Amino acid sequence: GRLAMMAILGMFFQDGLTGSAWGDWSLYTDSPLRAEPVSAAAAAAAAAKAASATKAATKTGAAVAAAAGAGSLTKGGKEGVAGTETPKPSFDPAVQLGAMPPLGYFDPAGFCKKGDESGFRTFRAAEIKHGRVAMMAALGAVVQHYVKFPGFEKVPSGLAAVTSAPGSYGMVALFLVAGALELGVWTEDPSKEPGNFGDPLGLGQYDEEMRARELNNGRFAMFAALGIISAELLTGKDAIEQFGL
């Protein structure tokens, strides 16, 4: 690859300089590539050797490709934060929860592969986590315009709350608490769905319908939070001030 990059660069340069990518081969009289003439027998022997090497390389490449293909369908083990221990070649991400109207199964970048349950679970855990954070962030961006906690009355609304004391102290405390909960309490379990940390309030609503709603609301909230942040960076106004209120 490195040699080819240098070669093609030289060809372009030579073509621009001489008008011919190859130049006049007859002028390269001292080139080591100009071998002495060989006999017909030697040429035939060399051709047979090359054909044999090509055949062997083809068999090896086919074997490697077959092994790689099988491996991609049986990728398992504890991979990622929500990986599974047992491979599942029949796993199909297109029929999992979250593939719903109007887009159906939407993975234009091809991150999720058929048979790669561990990879899918890791991506789904990340999606749910980001969605939950975004839902709280979008709601908080609206509420903080009207509500201030005791001791935080003078903290400005919007992104400035993160950089203005004592808001910055609260941000650090929140970050540490969230990290401790994620590392020690809310940990992924391969025997459960990604993002399933139980039902602490005992609502009994953790079914497929509520999980689908959570995914949809989380996806919407990620766009909402991104829009709120982008708009504030552009205009300097918080989420409510964007409406002229």
PDB file of all heavy atoms in Angstrom, residues 156-198:
ATOM      1  N   PRO A 156     -27.228  31.769  36.870  1.00  0.00           N
ATOM      2  CA  PRO A 156     -27.969  32.072  35.629  1.00  0.00           C
ATOM      3  C   PRO A 156     -28.545  30.810  35.000  1.00  0.00           C
ATOM      4  O   PRO A 156     -28.086  29.693  35.266  1.00  0.00           O
ATOM      5  CB  PRO A 156     -26.908  32.709  34.727  1.00  0.00           C
ATOM      6  CG  PRO A 156     -25.607  32.169  35.238  1.00  0.00           C
ATOM      7  CD  PRO A 156     -25.786  32.012  36.717  1.00  0.00           C
ATOM      8  N   SER A 157     -29.556  30.991  34.175  1.00  0.00           N
ATOM      9  CA  SER A 157     -30.145  29.863  33.457  1.00  0.00           C
ATOM     10  C   SER A 157     -29.288  29.511  32.248  1.00  0.00           C
ATOM     11  O   SER A 157     -28.435  30.280  31.818  1.00  0.00           O
ATOM     12  CB  SER A 157     -31.570  30.216  33.019  1.00  0.00           C
ATOM     13  OG  SER A 157     -32.386  30.481  34.136  1.00  0.00           O
ATOM     14  N   GLY A 158     -29.552  28.348  31.691  1.00  0.00           N
ATOM     15  CA  GLY A 158     -28.841  27.919  30.489  1.00  0.00           C
ATOM     16  C   GLY A 158     -27.477  27.338  30.775  1.00  0.00           C
ATOM     17  O   GLY A 158     -27.172  26.904  31.900  1.00  0.00           O
ATOM     18  N   LEU A 159     -26.640  27.342  29.766  1.00  0.00           N
ATOM     19  CA  LEU A 159     -25.317  26.730  29.879  1.00  0.00           C
ATOM     20  C   LEU A 159     -24.418  27.451  30.877  1.00  0.00           C
ATOM     21  O   LEU A 159     -23.491  26.861  31.421  1.00  0.00           O
ATOM     22  CB  LEU A 159     -24.641  26.706  28.503  1.00  0.00           C
ATOM     23  CG  LEU A 159     -25.331  25.871  27.414  1.00  0.00           C
ATOM     24  CD1 LEU A 159     -24.585  26.011  26.100  1.00  0.00           C
ATOM     25  CD2 LEU A 159     -25.387  24.407  27.824  1.00  0.00           C
ATOM     26  N   ALA A 160     -24.683  28.719  31.123  1.00  0.00           N
ATOM     27  CA  ALA A 160     -23.860  29.478  32.058  1.00  0.00           C
ATOM     28  C   ALA A 160     -23.946  28.920  33.467  1.00  0.00           C
ATOM     29  O   ALA A 160     -23.064  29.165  34.296  1.00  0.00           O
ATOM     30  CB  ALA A 160     -24.291  30.942  32.054  1.00  0.00           C
ATOM     31  N   ALA A 161     -24.999  28.131  33.753  1.00  0.00           N
ATOM     32  CA  ALA A 161     -25.139  27.538  35.081  1.00  0.00           C
ATOM     33  C   ALA A 161     -24.006  26.561  35.370  1.00  0.00           C
ATOM     34  O   ALA A 161     -23.649  26.338  36.526  1.00  0.00           O
ATOM     35  CB  ALA A 161     -26.485  26.833  35.197  1.00  0.00           C
ATOM     36  N   VAL A 162     -23.433  25.987  34.326  1.00  0.00           N
ATOM     37  CA  VAL A 162     -22.365  24.998  34.512  1.00  0.00           C
ATOM     38  C   VAL A 162     -21.042  25.667  34.864  1.00  0.00           C
ATOM     39  O   VAL A 162     -20.206  25.088  35.566  1.00  0.00           O
ATOM     40  CB  VAL A 162     -22.204  24.145  33.234  1.00  0.00           C
ATOM     41  CG1 VAL A 162     -21.074  23.141  33.389  1.00  0.00           C
ATOM     42  CG2 VAL A 162     -23.509  23.427  32.920  1.00  0.00           C
ATOM     43  N   THR A 163     -20.854  26.893  34.423  1.00  0.00           N
ATOM     44  CA  THR A 163     -19.573  27.569  34.610  1.00  0.00           C
ATOM     45  C   THR A 163     -19.609  28.645  35.690  1.00  0.00           C
ATOM     46  O   THR A 163     -18.576  29.244  35.989  1.00  0.00           O
ATOM     47  CB  THR A 163     -19.119  28.207  33.287  1.00  0.00           C
ATOM     48  OG1 THR A 163     -20.119  29.131  32.842  1.00  0.00           O
ATOM     49  CG2 THR A 163     -18.908  27.138  32.221  1.00  0.00           C
ATOM     50  N   SER A 164     -20.778  28.909  36.247  1.00  0.00           N
ATOM     51  CA  SER A 164     -20.910  29.954  37.268  1.00  0.00           C
ATOM     52  C   SER A 164     -21.106  29.323  38.638  1.00  0.00           C
ATOM     53  O   SER A 164     -22.013  28.506  38.821  1.00  0.00           O
ATOM     54  CB  SER A 164     -22.096  30.869  36.945  1.00  0.00           C
ATOM     55  OG  SER A 164     -21.957  31.441  35.658  1.00  0.00           O
ATOM     56  N   ALA A 165     -20.267  29.694  39.603  1.00  0.00           N
ATOM     57  CA  ALA A 165     -20.427  29.200  40.965  1.00  0.00           C
ATOM     58  C   ALA A 165     -21.685  29.822  41.580  1.00  0.00           C
ATOM     59  O   ALA A 165     -22.017  30.975  41.287  1.00  0.00           O
ATOM     60  CB  ALA A 165     -19.199  29.548  41.793  1.00  0.00           C
ATOM     61  N   PRO A 166     -22.426  29.049  42.409  1.00  0.00           N
ATOM     62  CA  PRO A 166     -22.148  27.678  42.845  1.00  0.00           C
ATOM     63  C   PRO A 166     -22.700  26.609  41.912  1.00  0.00           C
ATOM     64  O   PRO A 166     -22.701  25.426  42.252  1.00  0.00           O
ATOM     65  CB  PRO A 166     -22.839  27.627  44.206  1.00  0.00           C
ATOM     66  CG  PRO A 166     -24.026  28.522  44.034  1.00  0.00           C
ATOM     67  CD  PRO A 166     -23.569  29.643  43.145  1.00  0.00           C
ATOM     68  N   GLY A 167     -23.204  27.018  40.739  1.00  0.00           N
ATOM     69  CA  GLY A 167     -23.710  26.037  39.793  1.00  0.00           C
ATOM     70  C   GLY A 167     -22.653  25.040  39.356  1.00  0.00           C
ATOM     71  O   GLY A 167     -22.930  23.859  39.175  1.00  0.00           O
ATOM     72  N   SER A 168     -21.425  25.516  39.198  1.00  0.00           N
ATOM     73  CA  SER A 168     -20.334  24.629  38.800  1.00  0.00           C
ATOM     74  C   SER A 168     -20.056  23.579  39.871  1.00  0.00           C
ATOM     75  O   SER A 168     -19.725  22.432  39.556  1.00  0.00           O
ATOM     76  CB  SER A 168     -19.070  25.440  38.524  1.00  0.00           C
ATOM     77  OG  SER A 168     -18.729  26.231  39.653  1.00  0.00           O
ATOM     78  N   TYR A 169     -20.225  23.955  41.166  1.00  0.00           N
ATOM     79  CA  TYR A 169     -20.036  22.979  42.240  1.00  0.00           C
ATOM     80  C   TYR A 169     -21.106  21.893  42.173  1.00  0.00           C
ATOM     81  O   TYR A 169     -20.826  20.702  42.384  1.00  0.00           O
ATOM     82  CB  TYR A 169     -20.100  23.670  43.605  1.00  0.00           C
ATOM     83  CG  TYR A 169     -19.186  24.852  43.754  1.00  0.00           C
ATOM     84  CD1 TYR A 169     -19.515  25.914  44.583  1.00  0.00           C
ATOM     85  CD2 TYR A 169     -17.985  24.926  43.038  1.00  0.00           C
ATOM     86  CE1 TYR A 169     -18.680  27.019  44.714  1.00  0.00           C
ATOM     87  CE2 TYR A 169     -17.149  26.025  43.161  1.00  0.00           C
ATOM     88  CZ  TYR A 169     -17.505  27.066  43.994  1.00  0.00           C
ATOM     89  OH  TYR A 169     -16.684  28.149  44.117  1.00  0.00           O
ATOM     90  N   GLY A 170     -22.331  22.315  41.886  1.00  0.00           N
ATOM     91  CA  GLY A 170     -23.406  21.344  41.743  1.00  0.00           C
ATOM     92  C   GLY A 170     -23.176  20.408  40.569  1.00  0.00           C
ATOM     93  O   GLY A 170     -23.492  19.214  40.646  1.00  0.00           O
ATOM     94  N   MET A 171     -22.602  20.933  39.479  1.00  0.00           N
ATOM     95  CA  MET A 171     -22.298  20.104  38.318  1.00  0.00           C
ATOM     96  C   MET A 171     -21.273  19.038  38.666  1.00  0.00           C
ATOM     97  O   MET A 171     -21.407  17.871  38.299  1.00  0.00           O
ATOM     98  CB  MET A 171     -21.788  20.992  37.177  1.00  0.00           C
ATOM     99  CG  MET A 171     -21.324  20.229  35.954  1.00  0.00           C
ATOM    100  SD  MET A 171     -22.647  19.261  35.196  1.00  0.00           S
ATOM    101  CE  MET A 171     -21.732  18.412  33.911  1.00  0.00           C
ATOM    102  N   VAL A 172     -20.229  19.414  39.398  1.00  0.00           N
ATOM    103  CA  VAL A 172     -19.196  18.452  39.808  1.00  0.00           C
ATOM    104  C   VAL A 172     -19.800  17.391  40.711  1.00  0.00           C
ATOM    105  O   VAL A 172     -19.538  16.187  40.556  1.00  0.00           O
ATOM    106  CB  VAL A 172     -18.036  19.182  40.505  1.00  0.00           C
ATOM    107  CG1 VAL A 172     -17.059  18.169  41.094  1.00  0.00           C
ATOM    108  CG2 VAL A 172     -17.319  20.106  39.537  1.00  0.00           C
ATOM    109  N   ALA A 173     -20.635  17.820  41.673  1.00  0.00           N
ATOM    110  CA  ALA A 173     -21.262  16.861  42.586  1.00  0.00           C
ATOM    111  C   ALA A 173     -22.176  15.902  41.831  1.00  0.00           C
ATOM    112  O   ALA A 173     -22.172  14.689  42.079  1.00  0.00           O
ATOM    113  CB  ALA A 173     -22.053  17.609  43.658  1.00  0.00           C
ATOM    114  N   LEU A 174     -22.940  16.436  40.888  1.00  0.00           N
ATOM    115  CA  LEU A 174     -23.831  15.603  40.088  1.00  0.00           C
ATOM    116  C   LEU A 174     -23.041  14.597  39.263  1.00  0.00           C
ATOM    117  O   LEU A 174     -23.425  13.425  39.144  1.00  0.00           O
ATOM    118  CB  LEU A 174     -24.682  16.491  39.179  1.00  0.00           C
ATOM    119  CG  LEU A 174     -25.703  15.785  38.287  1.00  0.00           C
ATOM    120  CD1 LEU A 174     -26.735  15.069  39.131  1.00  0.00           C
ATOM    121  CD2 LEU A 174     -26.386  16.788  37.357  1.00  0.00           C
ATOM    122  N   PHE A 175     -21.927  15.037  38.693  1.00  0.00           N
ATOM    123  CA  PHE A 175     -21.078  14.162  37.885  1.00  0.00           C
ATOM    124  C   PHE A 175     -20.530  13.005  38.728  1.00  0.00           C
ATOM    125  O   PHE A 175     -20.536  11.846  38.298  1.00  0.00           O
ATOM    126  CB  PHE A 175     -19.935  14.971  37.281  1.00  0.00           C
ATOM    127  CG  PHE A 175     -18.978  14.164  36.449  1.00  0.00           C
ATOM    128  CD1 PHE A 175     -19.272  13.846  35.132  1.00  0.00           C
ATOM    129  CD2 PHE A 175     -17.778  13.709  36.989  1.00  0.00           C
ATOM    130  CE1 PHE A 175     -18.395  13.101  34.363  1.00  0.00           C
ATOM    131  CE2 PHE A 175     -16.897  12.962  36.228  1.00  0.00           C
ATOM    132  CZ  PHE A 175     -17.206  12.656  34.906  1.00  0.00           C
ATOM    133  N   LEU A 176     -20.074  13.302  39.945  1.00  0.00           N
ATOM    134  CA  LEU A 176     -19.509  12.270  40.809  1.00  0.00           C
ATOM    135  C   LEU A 176     -20.577  11.278  41.265  1.00  0.00           C
ATOM    136  O   LEU A 176     -20.344  10.065  41.288  1.00  0.00           O
ATOM    137  CB  LEU A 176     -18.836  12.922  42.018  1.00  0.00           C
ATOM    138  CG  LEU A 176     -17.584  13.765  41.714  1.00  0.00           C
ATOM    139  CD1 LEU A 176     -17.073  14.437  42.988  1.00  0.00           C
ATOM    140  CD2 LEU A 176     -16.486  12.915  41.085  1.00  0.00           C
ATOM    141  N   VAL A 177     -21.754  11.791  41.615  1.00  0.00           N
ATOM    142  CA  VAL A 177     -22.836  10.903  42.048  1.00  0.00           C
ATOM    143  C   VAL A 177     -23.285  10.000  40.906  1.00  0.00           C
ATOM    144  O   VAL A 177     -23.482   8.786  41.089  1.00  0.00           O
ATOM    145  CB  VAL A 177     -24.026  11.739  42.574  1.00  0.00           C
ATOM    146  CG1 VAL A 177     -25.245  10.852  42.807  1.00  0.00           C
ATOM    147  CG2 VAL A 177     -23.644  12.441  43.871  1.00  0.00           C
ATOM    148  N   ALA A 178     -23.433  10.571  39.713  1.00  0.00           N
ATOM    149  CA  ALA A 178     -23.846   9.774  38.559  1.00  0.00           C
ATOM    150  C   ALA A 178     -22.814   8.701  38.235  1.00  0.00           C
ATOM    151  O   ALA A 178     -23.170   7.555  37.926  1.00  0.00           O
ATOM    152  CB  ALA A 178     -24.068  10.691  37.350  1.00  0.00           C
ATOM    153  N   GLY A 179     -21.529   9.065  38.316  1.00  0.00           N
ATOM    154  CA  GLY A 179     -20.481   8.082  38.053  1.00  0.00           C
ATOM    155  C   GLY A 179     -20.496   6.950  39.060  1.00  0.00           C
ATOM    156  O   GLY A 179     -20.335   5.771  38.700  1.00  0.00           O
ATOM    157  N   ALA A 180     -20.691   7.280  40.343  1.00  0.00           N
ATOM    158  CA  ALA A 180     -20.735   6.250  41.376  1.00  0.00           C
ATOM    159  C   ALA A 180     -21.924   5.318  41.181  1.00  0.00           C
ATOM    160  O   ALA A 180     -21.799   4.085  41.320  1.00  0.00           O
ATOM    161  CB  ALA A 180     -20.798   6.912  42.757  1.00  0.00           C
ATOM    162  N   LEU A 181     -23.078   5.873  40.838  1.00  0.00           N
ATOM    163  CA  LEU A 181     -24.260   5.040  40.609  1.00  0.00           C
ATOM    164  C   LEU A 181     -24.071   4.122  39.407  1.00  0.00           C
ATOM    165  O   LEU A 181     -24.454   2.951  39.429  1.00  0.00           O
ATOM    166  CB  LEU A 181     -25.489   5.931  40.408  1.00  0.00           C
ATOM    167  CG  LEU A 181     -25.998   6.677  41.649  1.00  0.00           C
ATOM    168  CD1 LEU A 181     -27.107   7.647  41.260  1.00  0.00           C
ATOM    169  CD2 LEU A 181     -26.496   5.705  42.708  1.00  0.00           C
ATOM    170  N   GLU A 182     -23.472   4.673  38.356  1.00  0.00           N
ATOM    171  CA  GLU A 182     -23.289   3.863  37.144  1.00  0.00           C
ATOM    172  C   GLU A 182     -22.285   2.738  37.347  1.00  0.00           C
ATOM    173  O   GLU A 182     -22.443   1.644  36.823  1.00  0.00           O
ATOM    174  CB  GLU A 182     -22.849   4.761  35.986  1.00  0.00           C
ATOM    175  CG  GLU A 182     -22.719   4.020  34.668  1.00  0.00           C
ATOM    176  CD  GLU A 182     -22.417   4.935  33.506  1.00  0.00           C
ATOM    177  OE1 GLU A 182     -22.411   6.167  33.712  1.00  0.00           O
ATOM    178  OE2 GLU A 182     -22.176   4.427  32.404  1.00  0.00           O
ATOM    179  N   LEU A 183     -21.242   3.008  38.111  1.00  0.00           N
ATOM    180  CA  LEU A 183     -20.195   2.007  38.308  1.00  0.00           C
ATOM    181  C   LEU A 183     -20.542   0.993  39.389  1.00  0.00           C
ATOM    182  O   LEU A 183     -20.105  -0.160  39.331  1.00  0.00           O
ATOM    183  CB  LEU A 183     -18.872   2.701  38.674  1.00  0.00           C
ATOM    184  CG  LEU A 183     -18.249   3.569  37.578  1.00  0.00           C
ATOM    185  CD1 LEU A 183     -17.016   4.285  38.115  1.00  0.00           C
ATOM    186  CD2 LEU A 183     -17.879   2.724  36.364  1.00  0.00           C
ATOM    187  N   GLY A 184     -21.326   1.414  40.375  1.00  0.00           N
ATOM    188  CA  GLY A 184     -21.566   0.520  41.494  1.00  0.00           C
ATOM    189  C   GLY A 184     -22.967   0.015  41.673  1.00  0.00           C
ATOM    190  O   GLY A 184     -23.184  -1.040  42.281  1.00  0.00           O
ATOM    191  N   VAL A 185     -23.967   0.728  41.146  1.00  0.00           N
ATOM    192  CA  VAL A 185     -25.362   0.350  41.388  1.00  0.00           C
ATOM    193  C   VAL A 185     -26.069  -0.020  40.093  1.00  0.00           C
ATOM    194  O   VAL A 185     -26.595  -1.121  39.940  1.00  0.00           O
ATOM    195  CB  VAL A 185     -26.120   1.503  42.091  1.00  0.00           C
ATOM    196  CG1 VAL A 185     -27.580   1.091  42.361  1.00  0.00           C
ATOM    197  CG2 VAL A 185     -25.428   1.868  43.402  1.00  0.00           C
ATOM    198  N   TRP A 186     -26.090   0.905  39.150  1.00  0.00           N
ATOM    199  CA  TRP A 186     -26.786   0.669  37.877  1.00  0.00           C
ATOM    200  C   TRP A 186     -25.827   0.042  36.870  1.00  0.00           C
ATOM    201  O   TRP A 186     -25.329   0.700  35.953  1.00  0.00           O
ATOM    202  CB  TRP A 186     -27.348   1.979  37.340  1.00  0.00           C
ATOM    203  CG  TRP A 186     -28.399   2.555  38.245  1.00  0.00           C
ATOM    204  CD1 TRP A 186     -29.233   1.867  39.075  1.00  0.00           C
ATOM    205  CD2 TRP A 186     -28.740   3.937  38.402  1.00  0.00           C
ATOM    206  NE1 TRP A 186     -30.060   2.718  39.746  1.00  0.00           N
ATOM    207  CE2 TRP A 186     -29.787   4.006  39.355  1.00  0.00           C
ATOM    208  CE3 TRP A 186     -28.264   5.116  37.842  1.00  0.00           C
ATOM    209  CZ2 TRP A 186     -30.364   5.205  39.758  1.00  0.00           C
ATOM    210  CZ3 TRP A 186     -28.841   6.322  38.235  1.00  0.00           C
ATOM    211  CH2 TRP A 186     -29.873   6.363  39.175  1.00  0.00           C
ATOM    212  N   THR A 187     -25.559  -1.224  37.039  1.00  0.00           N
ATOM    213  CA  THR A 187     -24.657  -1.938  36.134  1.00  0.00           C
ATOM    214  C   THR A 187     -25.468  -2.862  35.222  1.00  0.00           C
ATOM    215  O   THR A 187     -26.519  -3.380  35.611  1.00  0.00           O
ATOM    216  CB  THR A 187     -23.640  -2.770  36.924  1.00  0.00           C
ATOM    217  OG1 THR A 187     -24.330  -3.684  37.795  1.00  0.00           O
ATOM    218  CG2 THR A 187     -22.746  -1.864  37.769  1.00  0.00           C
ATOM    219  N   GLU A 188     -24.954  -3.064  34.018  1.00  0.00           N
ATOM    220  CA  GLU A 188     -25.644  -3.901  33.042  1.00  0.00           C
ATOM    221  C   GLU A 188     -25.557  -5.376  33.430  1.00  0.00           C
ATOM    222  O   GLU A 188     -24.533  -5.846  33.925  1.00  0.00           O
ATOM    223  CB  GLU A 188     -25.056  -3.697  31.648  1.00  0.00           C
ATOM    224  CG  GLU A 188     -25.249  -2.295  31.085  1.00  0.00           C
ATOM    225  CD  GLU A 188     -26.687  -2.004  30.704  1.00  0.00           C
ATOM    226  OE1 GLU A 188     -27.485  -2.947  30.605  1.00  0.00           O
ATOM    227  OE2 GLU A 188     -27.005  -0.818  30.507  1.00  0.00           O
ATOM    228  N   ASP A 189     -26.634  -6.098  33.176  1.00  0.00           N
ATOM    229  CA  ASP A 189     -26.711  -7.530  33.462  1.00  0.00           C
ATOM    230  C   ASP A 189     -26.978  -8.262  32.149  1.00  0.00           C
ATOM    231  O   ASP A 189     -28.006  -8.017  31.502  1.00  0.00           O
ATOM    232  CB  ASP A 189     -27.833  -7.806  34.461  1.00  0.00           C
ATOM    233  CG  ASP A 189     -27.868  -9.253  34.936  1.00  0.00           C
ATOM    234  OD1 ASP A 189     -27.227 -10.104  34.275  1.00  0.00           O
ATOM    235  OD2 ASP A 189     -28.528  -9.534  35.954  1.00  0.00           O
ATOM    236  N   PRO A 190     -26.069  -9.175  31.725  1.00  0.00           N
ATOM    237  CA  PRO A 190     -26.277  -9.876  30.450  1.00  0.00           C
ATOM    238  C   PRO A 190     -27.569 -10.677  30.394  1.00  0.00           C
ATOM    239  O   PRO A 190     -28.054 -10.985  29.309  1.00  0.00           O
ATOM    240  CB  PRO A 190     -25.051 -10.801  30.356  1.00  0.00           C
ATOM    241  CG  PRO A 190     -24.034 -10.178  31.248  1.00  0.00           C
ATOM    242  CD  PRO A 190     -24.793  -9.538  32.356  1.00  0.00           C
ATOM    243  N   SER A 191     -28.142 -11.025  31.554  1.00  0.00           N
ATOM    244  CA  SER A 191     -29.377 -11.817  31.574  1.00  0.00           C
ATOM    245  C   SER A 191     -30.624 -10.945  31.434  1.00  0.00           C
ATOM    246  O   SER A 191     -31.738 -11.466  31.328  1.00  0.00           O
ATOM    247  CB  SER A 191     -29.459 -12.624  32.878  1.00  0.00           C
ATOM    248  OG  SER A 191     -29.546 -11.771  34.003  1.00  0.00           O
ATOM    249  N   LYS A 192     -30.450  -9.618  31.443  1.00  0.00           N
ATOM    250  CA  LYS A 192     -31.577  -8.701  31.321  1.00  0.00           C
ATOM    251  C   LYS A 192     -31.446  -7.860  30.056  1.00  0.00           C
ATOM    252  O   LYS A 192     -30.413  -7.873  29.394  1.00  0.00           O
ATOM    253  CB  LYS A 192     -31.656  -7.776  32.540  1.00  0.00           C
ATOM    254  CG  LYS A 192     -31.897  -8.479  33.863  1.00  0.00           C
ATOM    255  CD  LYS A 192     -31.962  -7.461  34.996  1.00  0.00           C
ATOM    256  CE  LYS A 192     -32.208  -8.139  36.333  1.00  0.00           C
ATOM    257  NZ  LYS A 192     -32.277  -7.152  37.453  1.00  0.00           N
ATOM    258  N   GLU A 193     -32.505  -7.114  29.757  1.00  0.00           N
ATOM    259  CA  GLU A 193     -32.451  -6.222  28.614  1.00  0.00           C
ATOM    260  C   GLU A 193     -31.478  -5.079  28.899  1.00  0.00           C
ATOM    261  O   GLU A 193     -31.284  -4.696  30.051  1.00  0.00           O
ATOM    262  CB  GLU A 193     -33.837  -5.628  28.326  1.00  0.00           C
ATOM    263  CG  GLU A 193     -34.927  -6.646  28.080  1.00  0.00           C
ATOM    264  CD  GLU A 193     -35.624  -7.048  29.371  1.00  0.00           C
ATOM    265  OE1 GLU A 193     -35.108  -6.704  30.453  1.00  0.00           O
ATOM    266  OE2 GLU A 193     -36.681  -7.695  29.288  1.00  0.00           O
ATOM    267  N   PRO A 194     -30.835  -4.540  27.858  1.00  0.00           N
ATOM    268  CA  PRO A 194     -29.954  -3.383  28.066  1.00  0.00           C
ATOM    269  C   PRO A 194     -30.719  -2.232  28.709  1.00  0.00           C
ATOM    270  O   PRO A 194     -31.833  -1.903  28.294  1.00  0.00           O
ATOM    271  CB  PRO A 194     -29.506  -3.017  26.646  1.00  0.00           C
ATOM    272  CG  PRO A 194     -29.649  -4.279  25.868  1.00  0.00           C
ATOM    273  CD  PRO A 194     -30.838  -4.981  26.452  1.00  0.00           C
ATOM    274  N   GLY A 195     -30.137  -1.645  29.736  1.00  0.00           N
ATOM    275  CA  GLY A 195     -30.783  -0.527  30.410  1.00  0.00           C
ATOM    276  C   GLY A 195     -31.802  -0.927  31.453  1.00  0.00           C
ATOM    277  O   GLY A 195     -32.444  -0.070  32.052  1.00  0.00           O
ATOM    278  N   ASN A 196     -31.967  -2.228  31.700  1.00  0.00           N
ATOM    279  CA  ASN A 196     -32.939  -2.702  32.690  1.00  0.00           C
ATOM    280  C   ASN A 196     -32.288  -2.723  34.067  1.00  0.00           C
ATOM    281  O   ASN A 196     -31.519  -3.627  34.386  1.00  0.00           O
ATOM    282  CB  ASN A 196     -33.438  -4.097  32.314  1.00  0.00           C
ATOM    283  CG  ASN A 196     -34.502  -4.613  33.276  1.00  0.00           C
ATOM    284  OD1 ASN A 196     -34.827  -3.953  34.268  1.00  0.00           O
ATOM    285  ND2 ASN A 196     -35.052  -5.771  32.977  1.00  0.00           N
ATOM    286  N   PHE A 197     -32.606  -1.734  34.883  1.00  0.00           N
ATOM    287  CA  PHE A 197     -32.065  -1.651  36.242  1.00  0.00           C
ATOM    288  C   PHE A 197     -33.136  -1.893  37.287  1.00  0.00           C
ATOM    289  O   PHE A 197     -33.033  -1.451  38.427  1.00  0.00           O
ATOM    290  CB  PHE A 197     -31.426  -0.267  36.463  1.00  0.00           C
ATOM    291  CG  PHE A 197     -30.333   0.057  35.481  1.00  0.00           C
ATOM    292  CD1 PHE A 197     -30.347   1.236  34.778  1.00  0.00           C
ATOM    293  CD2 PHE A 197     -29.301  -0.845  35.238  1.00  0.00           C
ATOM    294  CE1 PHE A 197     -29.348   1.538  33.859  1.00  0.00           C
ATOM    295  CE2 PHE A 197     -28.309  -0.558  34.317  1.00  0.00           C
ATOM    296  CZ  PHE A 197     -28.331   0.629  33.631  1.00  0.00           C
ATOM    297  N   GLY A 198     -34.183  -2.612  36.889  1.00  0.00           N
ATOM    298  CA  GLY A 198     -35.237  -2.937  37.825  1.00  0.00           C
ATOM    299  C   GLY A 198     -36.357  -1.915  37.832  1.00  0.00           C
ATOM    300  O   GLY A 198     -36.421  -1.012  36.990  1.00  0.00           O
TER     301      GLY A 198
END
